[in-house]
Amino acid sequence: MPGEFSEILAEIAGFRAVAPDLRELQEFSVEIMARRLPRYNWVGFYMLDRADPQTLVLGPYRGASTEHTRIPVSQGICGAAVAQEATVIVDDVMEDPRYLACSLETRSEIVVPIRVRGKIAGEIDVDSHTLKAFGQPDRVFLEACAALIGEYLATHPY
Ligand code: SME
């Protein structure tokens, strides 16, 4: 994994050890990614609504405000990642009919599920203004971030 990704992961892991709650851990994570990774123009968490597990609810994020504060798992790239239980990378959002627009500038997107004891609880969503911004290193990095958050959730139910 490129050094910048390893450093950010280490910082998130360090903060996780002292994080008072999930929201603070998520705030720390989106802040450091948005600040250190120039291609990550929008970074945010969506978590499944515990009262309605077919719906994702927007959590902490950095970037343009979005009207998509609640997304049914049947819709969007965000919903697809939950439905497929897998990371989804879209090289060109204009070519993907599932895409729900957040910012007119977004060109590519990656969505990575967060699992708690094997079950999907939410996801990390990253948008870029650059076409094909996300590759294997981003997938490995974000899946490691999702694993860190998932482990935290296993012992700190939200
Ligand atoms: N693009 C996402 C919606 C969320 S916004 O990008 C923040 C999707 O297609 O599900």
Side-chain angles (χ1 to χ4, degrees):
M1 199 184 305
E4 181 80 335
F5 285 156
S6 300
E7 283 173 30
I8 293 170
L9 268 181
E11 292 209 30
I12 294 173
F15 184 76
R16 185 182 65 161
V18 296
D21 57 28
L22 174 66
R23 180 154 288 268
E24 290 292 327
L25 179 57
Q26 290 177 322
E27 290 284 356
F28 183 91
S29 302
V30 293
E31 175 65 25
I32 192 170
M33 285 192 256
R35 190 156 30 86
R36 301 267 289 269
L37 301 168
R39 283 175 304 120
Y40 286 33
N41 299 111
W42 193 96
V43 186
F45 286 92
Y46 282 94
M47 301 304 287
L48 287 173
D49 186 344
R50 277 158 304 164
D52 171 15
Q54 293 303 302
T55 302
L56 290 156
V57 182
L58 180 63
Y61 69 94
R62 294 293 181 276
S65 61
T66 174
E67 67 193 69
H68 301 295
T69 55
R70 293 180 66 83
I71 302 177
V73 296
S74 56
Q75 291 180 21
I77 314 292
C78 287
V82 174
Q84 295 171 19
E85 300 194 13
T87 295
V88 177
I89 295 178
V90 177
D91 288 338
D92 180 354
V93 294
M94 299 308 168
E95 297 291 322
D96 194 318
R98 300 171 299 182
Y99 175 65
L100 299 171
C102 163
S103 156
L104 289 176
E105 291 177 291
T106 297
R107 290 292 170 270
S108 57
E109 178 162 7
I110 181 169
V111 184
V112 177
I114 296 168
R115 292 180 178 79
V116 181
R117 299 191 185 95
K119 207 167 173 292
I120 293 191
E123 60 192 25
I124 305 172
D125 179 17
V126 187
D127 294 352
S128 181
H129 298 169
T130 305
L131 271 177
K132 295 186 184 176
F134 307 110
Q136 186 64 10
D138 300 276
R139 174 196 291 267
V140 171
F141 163 65
L142 288 166
E143 288 180 353
C145 287
L148 282 176
I149 307 276
E151 286 161 16
Y152 182 88
L153 274 168
T155 50
H156 300 76
Y158 68 107

